[in-house]
mmCIF file of all heavy atoms in Angstrom:
data_model
loop_
_atom_site.group_PDB
_atom_site.id
_atom_site.type_symbol
_atom_site.label_atom_id
_atom_site.label_comp_id
_atom_site.label_asym_id
_atom_site.label_seq_id
_atom_site.Cartn_x
_atom_site.Cartn_y
_atom_site.Cartn_z
ATOM 1 N N PRO Z 375 29.781 -12.140 -29.435
ATOM 2 C CA PRO Z 375 30.281 -11.289 -28.357
ATOM 3 C C PRO Z 375 29.286 -11.177 -27.209
ATOM 4 O O PRO Z 375 28.075 -11.236 -27.427
ATOM 5 C CB PRO Z 375 30.461 -9.934 -29.049
ATOM 6 C CG PRO Z 375 29.475 -9.938 -30.159
ATOM 7 C CD PRO Z 375 29.378 -11.369 -30.629
ATOM 8 N N ALA Z 376 29.807 -11.033 -25.996
ATOM 9 C CA ALA Z 376 28.968 -10.753 -24.824
ATOM 10 C C ALA Z 376 29.045 -9.258 -24.593
ATOM 11 O O ALA Z 376 30.119 -8.733 -24.302
ATOM 12 C CB ALA Z 376 29.505 -11.519 -23.625
ATOM 13 N N VAL Z 377 27.927 -8.565 -24.749
ATOM 14 C CA VAL Z 377 27.927 -7.098 -24.648
ATOM 15 C C VAL Z 377 26.859 -6.587 -23.684
ATOM 16 O O VAL Z 377 25.844 -7.260 -23.460
ATOM 17 C CB VAL Z 377 27.701 -6.426 -26.032
ATOM 18 C CG1 VAL Z 377 28.767 -6.843 -27.025
ATOM 19 C CG2 VAL Z 377 26.317 -6.725 -26.573
ATOM 20 N N VAL Z 378 27.115 -5.417 -23.096
ATOM 21 C CA VAL Z 378 26.103 -4.699 -22.309
ATOM 22 C C VAL Z 378 26.151 -3.232 -22.713
ATOM 23 O O VAL Z 378 27.171 -2.747 -23.222
ATOM 24 C CB VAL Z 378 26.332 -4.804 -20.780
ATOM 25 C CG1 VAL Z 378 26.061 -6.211 -20.269
ATOM 26 C CG2 VAL Z 378 27.719 -4.339 -20.402
ATOM 27 N N SER Z 379 25.072 -2.553 -22.453
ATOM 28 C CA SER Z 379 24.966 -1.125 -22.789
ATOM 29 C C SER Z 379 25.858 -0.277 -21.887
ATOM 30 O O SER Z 379 26.067 -0.612 -20.713
ATOM 31 C CB SER Z 379 23.507 -0.686 -22.604
ATOM 32 O OG SER Z 379 23.444 0.710 -22.402
ATOM 33 N N ASP Z 380 26.356 0.807 -22.431
ATOM 34 C CA ASP Z 380 27.173 1.732 -21.644
ATOM 35 C C ASP Z 380 26.336 2.540 -20.651
ATOM 36 O O ASP Z 380 26.874 3.378 -19.924
ATOM 37 C CB ASP Z 380 28.008 2.651 -22.558
ATOM 38 C CG ASP Z 380 27.147 3.487 -23.480
ATOM 39 O OD1 ASP Z 380 25.925 3.246 -23.550
ATOM 40 O OD2 ASP Z 380 27.700 4.386 -24.140
ATOM 41 N N LYS Z 381 25.038 2.271 -20.607
ATOM 42 C CA LYS Z 381 24.167 2.892 -19.601
ATOM 43 C C LYS Z 381 24.097 2.034 -18.325
ATOM 44 O O LYS Z 381 23.424 2.405 -17.370
ATOM 45 C CB LYS Z 381 22.738 3.061 -20.145
ATOM 46 C CG LYS Z 381 22.628 3.801 -21.472
ATOM 47 C CD LYS Z 381 22.737 5.305 -21.281
ATOM 48 C CE LYS Z 381 22.454 6.046 -22.600
ATOM 49 N NZ LYS Z 381 23.518 5.795 -23.615
ATOM 50 N N SER Z 382 24.757 0.855 -18.326
ATOM 51 C CA SER Z 382 24.654 -0.094 -17.207
ATOM 52 C C SER Z 382 25.408 0.381 -15.969
ATOM 53 O O SER Z 382 26.405 1.092 -16.067
ATOM 54 C CB SER Z 382 25.228 -1.451 -17.619
ATOM 55 O OG SER Z 382 24.697 -1.882 -18.849
ATOM 56 N N SER Z 383 24.936 -0.102 -14.810
ATOM 57 C CA SER Z 383 25.694 0.078 -13.569
ATOM 58 C C SER Z 383 26.663 -1.100 -13.436
ATOM 59 O O SER Z 383 26.540 -2.100 -14.144
ATOM 60 C CB SER Z 383 24.747 0.069 -12.368
ATOM 61 O OG SER Z 383 24.202 -1.238 -12.202
ATOM 62 N N VAL Z 384 27.617 -0.969 -12.517
ATOM 63 C CA VAL Z 384 28.542 -2.072 -12.239
ATOM 64 C C VAL Z 384 27.747 -3.332 -11.874
ATOM 65 O O VAL Z 384 28.052 -4.435 -12.347
ATOM 66 C CB VAL Z 384 29.527 -1.689 -11.110
ATOM 67 C CG1 VAL Z 384 30.284 -2.915 -10.610
ATOM 68 C CG2 VAL Z 384 30.499 -0.618 -11.594
ATOM 69 N N TYR Z 385 26.709 -3.148 -11.063
ATOM 70 C CA TYR Z 385 25.882 -4.290 -10.652
ATOM 71 C C TYR Z 385 25.256 -4.987 -11.866
ATOM 72 O O TYR Z 385 25.315 -6.212 -11.990
ATOM 73 C CB TYR Z 385 24.792 -3.820 -9.686
ATOM 74 C CG TYR Z 385 23.845 -4.927 -9.286
ATOM 75 C CD1 TYR Z 385 24.195 -5.825 -8.279
ATOM 76 C CD2 TYR Z 385 22.613 -5.090 -9.925
ATOM 77 C CE1 TYR Z 385 23.344 -6.859 -7.922
ATOM 78 C CE2 TYR Z 385 21.764 -6.121 -9.570
ATOM 79 C CZ TYR Z 385 22.129 -6.999 -8.570
ATOM 80 O OH TYR Z 385 21.288 -8.026 -8.227
ATOM 81 N N ASP Z 386 24.686 -4.202 -12.787
ATOM 82 C CA ASP Z 386 24.087 -4.772 -14.010
ATOM 83 C C ASP Z 386 25.106 -5.620 -14.773
ATOM 84 O O ASP Z 386 24.770 -6.685 -15.316
ATOM 85 C CB ASP Z 386 23.652 -3.651 -14.983
ATOM 86 C CG ASP Z 386 22.543 -2.766 -14.423
ATOM 87 O OD1 ASP Z 386 21.786 -3.244 -13.557
ATOM 88 O OD2 ASP Z 386 22.444 -1.598 -14.864
ATOM 89 N N VAL Z 387 26.331 -5.120 -14.829
ATOM 90 C CA VAL Z 387 27.362 -5.815 -15.619
ATOM 91 C C VAL Z 387 27.760 -7.125 -14.944
ATOM 92 O O VAL Z 387 27.968 -8.137 -15.612
ATOM 93 C CB VAL Z 387 28.579 -4.892 -15.857
ATOM 94 C CG1 VAL Z 387 29.696 -5.641 -16.572
ATOM 95 C CG2 VAL Z 387 28.156 -3.674 -16.678
ATOM 96 N N ILE Z 388 27.838 -7.095 -13.615
ATOM 97 C CA ILE Z 388 28.176 -8.338 -12.896
ATOM 98 C C ILE Z 388 27.085 -9.380 -13.150
ATOM 99 O O ILE Z 388 27.379 -10.552 -13.429
ATOM 100 C CB ILE Z 388 28.359 -8.077 -11.380
ATOM 101 C CG1 ILE Z 388 29.591 -7.188 -11.145
ATOM 102 C CG2 ILE Z 388 28.501 -9.399 -10.627
ATOM 103 C CD1 ILE Z 388 29.812 -6.768 -9.696
ATOM 104 N N VAL Z 389 25.832 -8.960 -13.093
ATOM 105 C CA VAL Z 389 24.723 -9.889 -13.367
ATOM 106 C C VAL Z 389 24.844 -10.438 -14.794
ATOM 107 O O VAL Z 389 24.760 -11.654 -15.018
ATOM 108 C CB VAL Z 389 23.352 -9.189 -13.164
ATOM 109 C CG1 VAL Z 389 22.216 -10.076 -13.681
ATOM 110 C CG2 VAL Z 389 23.138 -8.858 -11.685
ATOM 111 N N ALA Z 390 25.112 -9.561 -15.756
ATOM 112 C CA ALA Z 390 25.237 -9.986 -17.159
ATOM 113 C C ALA Z 390 26.388 -10.983 -17.334
ATOM 114 O O ALA Z 390 26.297 -11.947 -18.097
ATOM 115 C CB ALA Z 390 25.445 -8.771 -18.054
ATOM 116 N N LEU Z 391 27.463 -10.745 -16.602
ATOM 117 C CA LEU Z 391 28.640 -11.621 -16.680
ATOM 118 C C LEU Z 391 28.277 -13.037 -16.231
ATOM 119 O O LEU Z 391 28.695 -14.028 -16.843
ATOM 120 C CB LEU Z 391 29.730 -11.046 -15.783
ATOM 121 C CG LEU Z 391 31.153 -11.452 -16.077
ATOM 122 C CD1 LEU Z 391 31.790 -10.502 -17.079
ATOM 123 C CD2 LEU Z 391 31.972 -11.434 -14.801
ATOM 124 N N PHE Z 392 27.470 -13.113 -15.161
ATOM 125 C CA PHE Z 392 27.053 -14.437 -14.684
ATOM 126 C C PHE Z 392 26.030 -15.062 -15.622
ATOM 127 O O PHE Z 392 26.112 -16.248 -15.936
ATOM 128 C CB PHE Z 392 26.499 -14.366 -13.252
ATOM 129 C CG PHE Z 392 27.590 -14.364 -12.218
ATOM 130 C CD1 PHE Z 392 27.930 -13.205 -11.535
ATOM 131 C CD2 PHE Z 392 28.293 -15.531 -11.932
ATOM 132 C CE1 PHE Z 392 28.960 -13.202 -10.595
ATOM 133 C CE2 PHE Z 392 29.314 -15.543 -10.991
ATOM 134 C CZ PHE Z 392 29.648 -14.367 -10.323
ATOM 135 N N VAL Z 393 25.061 -14.265 -16.070
ATOM 136 C CA VAL Z 393 24.006 -14.794 -16.933
ATOM 137 C C VAL Z 393 24.614 -15.318 -18.238
ATOM 138 O O VAL Z 393 24.269 -16.406 -18.714
ATOM 139 C CB VAL Z 393 22.935 -13.720 -17.221
ATOM 140 C CG1 VAL Z 393 21.978 -14.178 -18.321
ATOM 141 C CG2 VAL Z 393 22.167 -13.393 -15.948
ATOM 142 N N GLN Z 394 25.544 -14.552 -18.810
ATOM 143 C CA GLN Z 394 26.134 -14.952 -20.093
ATOM 144 C C GLN Z 394 27.313 -15.910 -19.886
ATOM 145 O O GLN Z 394 27.847 -16.452 -20.851
ATOM 146 C CB GLN Z 394 26.565 -13.706 -20.885
ATOM 147 C CG GLN Z 394 25.404 -12.734 -21.102
ATOM 148 C CD GLN Z 394 25.707 -11.658 -22.152
ATOM 149 O OE1 GLN Z 394 26.363 -11.914 -23.149
ATOM 150 N NE2 GLN Z 394 25.207 -10.454 -21.912
ATOM 151 N N ASP Z 395 27.713 -16.083 -18.632
ATOM 152 C CA ASP Z 395 28.812 -16.973 -18.254
ATOM 153 C C ASP Z 395 30.078 -16.731 -19.073
ATOM 154 O O ASP Z 395 30.612 -17.633 -19.727
ATOM 155 C CB ASP Z 395 28.387 -18.439 -18.353
ATOM 156 C CG ASP Z 395 29.359 -19.327 -17.571
ATOM 157 O OD1 ASP Z 395 30.063 -18.819 -16.678
ATOM 158 O OD2 ASP Z 395 29.433 -20.542 -17.880
ATOM 159 N N VAL Z 396 30.556 -15.488 -19.022
ATOM 160 C CA VAL Z 396 31.797 -15.128 -19.704
ATOM 161 C C VAL Z 396 32.761 -14.487 -18.710
ATOM 162 O O VAL Z 396 32.353 -14.051 -17.639
ATOM 163 C CB VAL Z 396 31.545 -14.138 -20.873
ATOM 164 C CG1 VAL Z 396 30.822 -14.831 -22.012
ATOM 165 C CG2 VAL Z 396 30.770 -12.906 -20.400
ATOM 166 N N GLY Z 397 34.017 -14.437 -19.061
ATOM 167 C CA GLY Z 397 35.025 -13.848 -18.188
ATOM 168 C C GLY Z 397 35.225 -12.366 -18.445
ATOM 169 O O GLY Z 397 35.683 -11.630 -17.581
ATOM 170 N N THR Z 398 34.886 -11.942 -19.650
ATOM 171 C CA THR Z 398 35.064 -10.547 -20.050
ATOM 172 C C THR Z 398 33.842 -10.126 -20.844
ATOM 173 O O THR Z 398 33.302 -10.906 -21.623
ATOM 174 C CB THR Z 398 36.324 -10.403 -20.935
ATOM 175 O OG1 THR Z 398 37.450 -10.886 -20.215
ATOM 176 C CG2 THR Z 398 36.563 -8.951 -21.343
ATOM 177 N N ILE Z 399 33.403 -8.887 -20.630
ATOM 178 C CA ILE Z 399 32.214 -8.396 -21.323
ATOM 179 C C ILE Z 399 32.570 -7.064 -21.983
ATOM 180 O O ILE Z 399 33.423 -6.327 -21.482
ATOM 181 C CB ILE Z 399 31.034 -8.310 -20.314
ATOM 182 C CG1 ILE Z 399 29.690 -8.447 -21.007
ATOM 183 C CG2 ILE Z 399 31.122 -7.073 -19.436
ATOM 184 C CD1 ILE Z 399 28.577 -8.925 -20.087
ATOM 185 N N TYR Z 400 31.955 -6.796 -23.131
ATOM 186 C CA TYR Z 400 32.234 -5.562 -23.855
ATOM 187 C C TYR Z 400 31.114 -4.566 -23.595
ATOM 188 O O TYR Z 400 29.937 -4.929 -23.571
ATOM 189 C CB TYR Z 400 32.360 -5.828 -25.358
ATOM 190 C CG TYR Z 400 33.313 -6.949 -25.685
ATOM 191 C CD1 TYR Z 400 32.988 -7.926 -26.617
ATOM 192 C CD2 TYR Z 400 34.537 -7.056 -25.029
ATOM 193 C CE1 TYR Z 400 33.858 -8.963 -26.904
ATOM 194 C CE2 TYR Z 400 35.417 -8.096 -25.304
ATOM 195 C CZ TYR Z 400 35.067 -9.053 -26.241
ATOM 196 O OH TYR Z 400 35.919 -10.075 -26.511
ATOM 197 N N ILE Z 401 31.501 -3.309 -23.413
ATOM 198 C CA ILE Z 401 30.541 -2.244 -23.156
ATOM 199 C C ILE Z 401 30.334 -1.501 -24.483
ATOM 200 O O ILE Z 401 31.309 -1.022 -25.078
ATOM 201 C CB ILE Z 401 31.089 -1.254 -22.099
ATOM 202 C CG1 ILE Z 401 31.771 -1.995 -20.929
ATOM 203 C CG2 ILE Z 401 29.999 -0.304 -21.636
ATOM 204 C CD1 ILE Z 401 30.909 -2.952 -20.178
ATOM 205 N N VAL Z 402 29.082 -1.436 -24.931
ATOM 206 C CA VAL Z 402 28.816 -0.831 -26.238
ATOM 207 C C VAL Z 402 27.791 0.290 -26.136
ATOM 208 O O VAL Z 402 26.916 0.273 -25.275
ATOM 209 C CB VAL Z 402 28.298 -1.881 -27.259
ATOM 210 C CG1 VAL Z 402 29.358 -2.947 -27.528
ATOM 211 C CG2 VAL Z 402 26.999 -2.533 -26.797
ATOM 212 N N SER Z 403 27.922 1.264 -27.052
ATOM 213 C CA SER Z 403 26.890 2.294 -27.205
ATOM 214 C C SER Z 403 25.970 1.872 -28.352
ATOM 215 O O SER Z 403 26.161 0.803 -28.954
ATOM 216 C CB SER Z 403 27.551 3.655 -27.463
ATOM 217 O OG SER Z 403 28.429 3.557 -28.561
ATOM 218 N N GLU Z 404 24.992 2.708 -28.638
ATOM 219 C CA GLU Z 404 24.007 2.390 -29.671
ATOM 220 C C GLU Z 404 24.679 1.934 -30.975
ATOM 221 O O GLU Z 404 25.684 2.518 -31.381
ATOM 222 C CB GLU Z 404 23.172 3.649 -29.950
ATOM 223 C CG GLU Z 404 21.718 3.337 -30.261
ATOM 224 C CD GLU Z 404 20.901 4.615 -30.354
ATOM 225 O OE1 GLU Z 404 20.983 5.410 -29.392
ATOM 226 O OE2 GLU Z 404 20.226 4.793 -31.370
ATOM 227 N N GLY Z 405 24.129 0.890 -31.588
ATOM 228 C CA GLY Z 405 24.688 0.381 -32.836
ATOM 229 C C GLY Z 405 25.829 -0.597 -32.611
ATOM 230 O O GLY Z 405 26.526 -0.976 -33.544
ATOM 231 N N GLY Z 406 26.019 -1.009 -31.325
ATOM 232 C CA GLY Z 406 27.064 -1.999 -31.040
ATOM 233 C C GLY Z 406 28.471 -1.441 -31.144
ATOM 234 O O GLY Z 406 29.427 -2.179 -31.402
#
Side-chain angles (χ1 to χ4, degrees):
Chain Z
V377 302
V378 290
S379 157
D380 60 351
K381 306 281 187 293
S382 310
S383 68
V384 168
Y385 176 82
D386 296 335
V387 175
I388 294 175
V389 170
L391 202 89
F392 278 106
V393 169
Q394 304 194 37
D395 197 21
V396 290
T398 303
I399 207 157
Y400 309 135
I401 317 301
V402 297
S403 54
E404 216 173 308

